[in-house]
Amino acid sequence: MKELEKVYNPQEFEDRIYDFWQKGRYFHSEPDDSRKPFTIVIPPPNVTGQLHMGHALDETLQDILIRYKRMQGFNALWIPGTDHAGIATQIKVEEVLRKEEGLTRYDLGREKFLERVWDWKKTYGDRIINQLKKLGSSCDWERERFTMDEGCSKAVKEVFVNLYEKGLIYKGNRIINWCPQCTTALSDAEVVYEEQPGHFWHIRYPVKNSDEFVTIATTRPETMLGDTAVAVHPDDARYAHLVGKTLILPLVGREIPVVADEYVDQDFGTGCVKITPCHDPNDFEVGKRHQLEEILIMDGNAVINANGGKYEGLDRYEARRQIVRDLEEGGYLVRVEEHTHNVGACYRCGCTVEPMASSQWFVRMKPLAEKAIRAVREGETRFVPDRFSKTYLNWMENVHDWCISRQLWWGHRIPAYYCDACGEMVIAKEEVHTCPKCGAAMRQEEDVLDTWFSSALWPFSTLGWPEDTPELRYYYPTSVLVTGYDIIFFWVARMIFSGLEQMGQVPFSHVLIHGLVRDSQGRKMSKSLGNGIDPLEVIREYGADALRFTLATGNAPGNDMRYYPERVESSRNFANKVWNAARFILMNLKEEDLSFSTAGLRPEDEWILTRYNDVVRDVTENLDKFEIGLALQKVYDFIWDLFCDWYIELVKPRLYAGGEESAMAQRVLLFVFSGALKMLHPFMPFITEEIWQALPTAEEACVTARFPVYDPALRFSESAGRMEHVMETIKAIRNRRAEMNVPHSRKASLYIETAHPEWFEGAALFYQKLAGAEQVLINSKIPEGTVQLVCDGASLYIPFAELIDLESELRRLNKELEKARGELARVEGKLKNQGFISKAPAALVEAENAKKEKFLALIAELTASIEKMEGRR
RNA sequence: GGAGGCAUAGCUCAGCUGGUUAGAGUACUUGCUUGACAUGCAAGGGGUCACUGGUUCAAUUCCAGUUGUCUCCACCA
């Protein structure tokens, strides 16, 4: 038998245990028709940034489920997400390039630049992946690289062509969100809105050949350079006479019409709206309806272009200042109001996005969304907790077409090919070099796809699709997606409609949603606040098991949790407790034959087995419902409170006594403890495995052991009840001794007066060991001068004559009596209620009756004691 | 404007399909070097379960409203 170190030191063994699992290839799984698959998809870590708590949480939850299912005999597979096409990397590399070498990506050229990005990802990806290992997960860089290069990109082309042929992808000139800093288009989901204080400029537009004018109000005066109309509401009497007239655009001098359009809200602002089709989505629509000219006034960096006349070359904000000044000088500015409004910013770089008309690729969402809505409505995919399906449906029902093209280089390049000679465009899975129409050379679309386009294919592209692989047939649809609620729109929704469209089936049956990890003040952890906590630091200090425990417990699914160092500390303390329990058991296992059987069990054995069995049942139920925190809490309570604080203490006398009694105790200890370790293993794999390797157990590794199963043969309700009765009295004695400040070392005889002497059979040792009893006398003559304790079904007497203060004793007894009477009144009230008797379940009425009896007996005992004491006063 | 969450001990939070003497961790008070563990053991104090109604024999739990608070989505030029 191996010995355990004296001190719990996770750093000493976690790496070793990880290697042990790797060698045993416990993380690998292949399709195997004799076992049911269980597959989990989890989101990607951002390999360029810091590993943060969110990843740690994803990994932990995923790993708990995988281990649990594997221990139940499932063939469990984990499909790790990767940051395969995240544009953050590209932007980071560009930034470094600019700072360190003064170069842009265009200086390097596409090929060289992409190599740089790969190098970057390799360096940082390895770092992150190695860190993730510490959480007990295995992530494989080679696999990530493969899926980016080969499998995934093939799937992307396949899907793109597929959707294009069905008319679900189109290229069009539309208003999109443009990030001038990332210089790319963004999807709606990538824009975050924030209330910002701003101004409302009221500007006068003169009517041509008249001294009349209209006043418009705007928050973005610089966009007036692109104005091609002013709109009013068709029913607005104030302006009816102006519809069809021509205005002169101030500063620019362009002649623009006044048009009537339902879009205008008569009650907002002045009731006149300047129309800038190229820089506002609503104006764009108005422009289309009235065949207005479209004038783009900015370039990709949000600098005014040639269409802006004398403002060309100015940044959008400089242009704004200049224009406002000029308007004022020209007498066009009526007034300026303070105005707070929502401003969209790029979620990645925080730069204010510029709505701009631009030629981009879009996915037509309506038909895809319909299927995706139905799948969730009909329960093919279930969100856990269920309320997130509302979030999902709400979004899906109001979804706009998805802008999928990005003006970047890192990512999957759109498989569209153009012929500059004849204007032909070809969409194809294979590269096209010559134009099928005129034979001229073709060039591929420069734009790449949104990261989430390829991420959406993850559940099947990683399994070999579009080939019909055994993996795909075996593992798809997957079982669970584990992720935070912040990426429901980005990823979850898109995986669902992509899976439905390409595979005809939902990608997963359950979506387990967790909350965000916040700091101790409830703030979101972020780089800019500097409040991010590095999981690796935590692991170094407390161990991976402690971190996992912290992340898995103490909050309900889908709710945010706050990170407190104290909580990790308490988790570590629990690990230490388990460690020491193991040490205790190991140093007491002396028997040759430690095989467990139910023959000859003592009441305390039957009690712990019964409780153990209950926990097995409960934990299994909880885990099957993804109630991970609840399950872990039950394992924790069982191990610490029931097993360590009670059972171990109860069996110590037998262990030390030796002989067959001791042997029996050893067998039960080993059986229950190893079972508890198995239950704990999914949550705290390292410590359980390390201990397992030291224990003389039949199964070679905890990771491959079978998860405990509820066993009716281990249910001993009668002796369990009796044992708890004894425990109640022990607690009562301890309580009294503590109140009277009797030190543990001071022993005294214990007299028990009871109508159920059989309850206390063989319990003498327990009172001696745990309640400071010298000898235990049942139903013998009670000496004078004792402290009396009234318990359910028994009165206990301890001769502490000199410590007795009659008055305080009486006060205490009367207080107890009052409490018991209160309880009795409550129970009787219930039982007197005819409605309760007739409508409540019989078992409940029965239980209430039993309670009534119990309280009646207690009250009788207490009254008798009080009377006796009064007599002595 | 639309949707959703949260409100339980000093603090952070559990409490699953209504019935418990309402729990945990932490903090606090007291006593313990009890032969695994002071990262520990034992005992204790501390809660009108936000408020108001409703459903029910029974509401911390279900429903409606109110207040406070947080989040997401949409968006008004």
Side-chain angles (χ1 to χ4, degrees), chain A residues 146-147 150-163 166 429 453-454 456-473 476 498-504:
Chain A
F146 171 80
T147 47
E150 314 288 333
C152 200
S153 84
K154 198 168 170 190
V156 165
K157 283 180 200 149
E158 183 81 20
V159 170
F160 192 93
V161 171
N162 197 330
L163 290 177
K166 288 183 190 161
K429 295 172 204 174
F453 187 89
S454 46
L457 318 180
W458 207 244
F460 49 92
S461 68
T462 53
L463 293 172
W465 190 87
E467 307 313 322
D468 179 24
T469 64
E471 286 81 10
L472 190 63
R473 264 175 284 155
Y476 193 93
S498 298
L500 284 167
E501 189 61 27
Q502 305 305 326
M503 302 293 296

Side-chain angles (χ1 to χ4, degrees), chain A residues 554-567:
Chain A
N555 85 317
N559 288 2
D560 290 352
M561 76 169 77
R562 296 193 191 198
Y563 177 87
Y564 278 88
E566 293 88 344
R567 288 193 54 221

